[in-house]
Amino acid sequence: MAVLHPRVAPRRSTTRATTWWGKAWVRAVEEAAFSESDLVTARTLARGGHVGQITTRPGGFFASVEDQHGLWTVDGAIPELDETGTETVVEAVAAEAGRIAALLGGDLPHDLVEHTDEAGVELLPFGSELAATCTCEAWAEPCVHALAVLQQLAWLIEADPMVLLQLRGLAREDLLGRLHARRESPVSDDERDLDAAVEAALYAARLLDDPLS
């Protein structure tokens, strides 16, 4: 399922990431860039509000970017997890009840990412995994427009790490559904806590869908 995010207003302050996972994403963007000058231009476009609404989907994203030469469309991709990788992430989230609460609260627990890394599943991308095409005529890929979208994606992921999971192919509803399915026979306090957290998340999701329920 695709998600259309609100357009990011112009920022006068720095575009630097503030969370550890945001900084990791920005490092990947810097690795993907052809030159420092491209990064400077991209940050200016991102900070200046020249990026339209970003749509994220499992395995990709797209958005429009406007500069002095015209309006361009960026279409990007990031590798999705396979079924084994997805189950590894679900198991890592379920391993500690506090992890789902943290994710829903806008935090990406460092030990969760370490857990998946140790199992051979990388959640945060490398620069070589960030692919993007653009309707502009620049020969470098990613171009400055794509880099601007990737910069704003860092802000979206900082605010809601579930965006990162969705890009990797594990949408919020899918994660909650898989966790819900694991509730059939809770045997420990941690699992009971997880059960309560999932129930609360599902209830909140139902309220968002139907505020009068």
Side-chain angles (χ1 to χ4, degrees), residues 10-11 22-23 27 65 73 81 110 123 146 155 162 194-195 203 207:
R11 292 186 174 191
K23 292 175 181 178
R27 280 196 299 272
V65 181
T73 300
L81 301 174
H110 197 278
L123 280 177
W155 304 343
M162 287 288 195
L194 175 63
D195 179 69
Y203 178 67
L207 287 180

Side-chain angles (χ1 to χ4, degrees), residues 111-145:
D111 59 355
L112 167 61
V113 176
E114 288 182 334
H115 187 144
T116 60
D117 285 352
E118 290 171 359
V121 178
E122 300 280 354
L123 280 177
L124 289 160
F126 297 103
S128 58
E129 292 184 304
L130 299 177
T133 60
C134 181
T135 54
C136 74
E137 297 180 353
W139 59 267
E141 291 187 4
C143 66
V144 294
H145 309 111

Side-chain angles (χ1 to χ4, degrees), residues 11 18 44 68 81 94 117 135 137 158 171 177 181-182 192-193 209:
R11 292 186 174 191
T18 57
T44 300
Q68 68 270 29
L81 301 174
D117 285 352
T135 54
E137 297 180 353
E158 281 203 302
R182 299 170 66 93
R192 292 188 185 93
D193 290 342
D209 291 336

